Amino acid sequence: IASSVGASKTASMEQAQVPQANAGEKRKWEGADTTAHAAKGSKTGAEERTEKQRIVGKDGKVLICELSRNRRISVGEYNGKKLVDIREYYEKEGAMLPGKKGISLTVDQFQLFKEHISEIEDELYDTRS
């Protein structure tokens, strides 16, 4: 699997605050350099800009969010292709490292996934018995 190659590069990295699914839980992401970047943040389509923390690991992956203690979403590049990585992490010697369990989606695969979000939500929240 392409996404697991180079995973060990994250072993010796700094710590930084992580966007979290559960705001009450404070976690740190090893291997991050935090920089601010502007992000579009308007539901009306207006060109509003808000400051958002950008966390980049030494492996070049940008951490998008921490889904749980051991699951993260990041965006990176492998062999010149941008990938959305949804992966489980494990702790070793105080550092959180990417594990084998996960998936890396190409831009095309991610676009297809996004197109089916409403269908996924329909099945998840279906009130039929």
Side-chain angles (χ1 to χ4, degrees):
I1 289 181
S3 62
S4 65
V5 176
S8 62
K9 291 181 183 178
T10 59
S12 60
M13 299 178 164
E14 306 169 19
Q15 292 186 349
Q17 286 292 68
V18 175
Q20 299 170 18
N22 179 358
E25 182 184 355
K26 298 248 183 207
R27 297 281 302 155
K28 303 224 179 215
W29 185 50
E30 289 79 8
D33 173 31
T34 58
T35 56
H37 79 288
K40 291 181 183 177
S42 174
K43 291 184 179 181
T44 63
E47 286 286 318
E48 286 185 36
R49 299 266 183 208
T50 58
E51 282 297 312
K52 186 176 179 181
Q53 191 176 36
R54 185 169 192 242
I55 301 170
V56 181
K58 288 186 179 180
D59 60 358
K61 289 184 180 178
V62 177
L63 181 64
I64 303 301
C65 79
E66 187 173 69
L67 296 173
S68 67
R69 183 179 190 277
N70 295 322
R71 291 187 180 147
R72 298 175 179 170
I73 300 174
S74 61
V75 174
E77 196 172 309
Y78 182 77
N79 284 340
K81 293 183 180 180
K82 291 235 180 207
L83 300 170
V84 175
D85 196 44
I86 304 169
R87 186 150 311 278
E88 285 191 359
Y89 281 68
Y90 66 97
E91 189 170 349
K92 182 178 180 181
E93 298 176 4
M96 294 300 286
L97 302 173
K100 293 180 182 180
K101 290 184 181 180
I103 186 168
S104 293
L105 302 173
T106 64
V107 173
D108 291 339
Q109 292 168 334
F110 180 68
Q111 292 301 328
L112 185 60
F113 176 75
K114 284 182 8 180
E115 290 171 14
H116 291 278
I117 289 293
S118 64
E119 294 170 55
I120 294 168
E121 288 176 333
D122 290 347
E123 291 299 322
L124 284 174
Y125 307 117
D126 187 7
T127 56
R128 295 177 289 168
S129 296

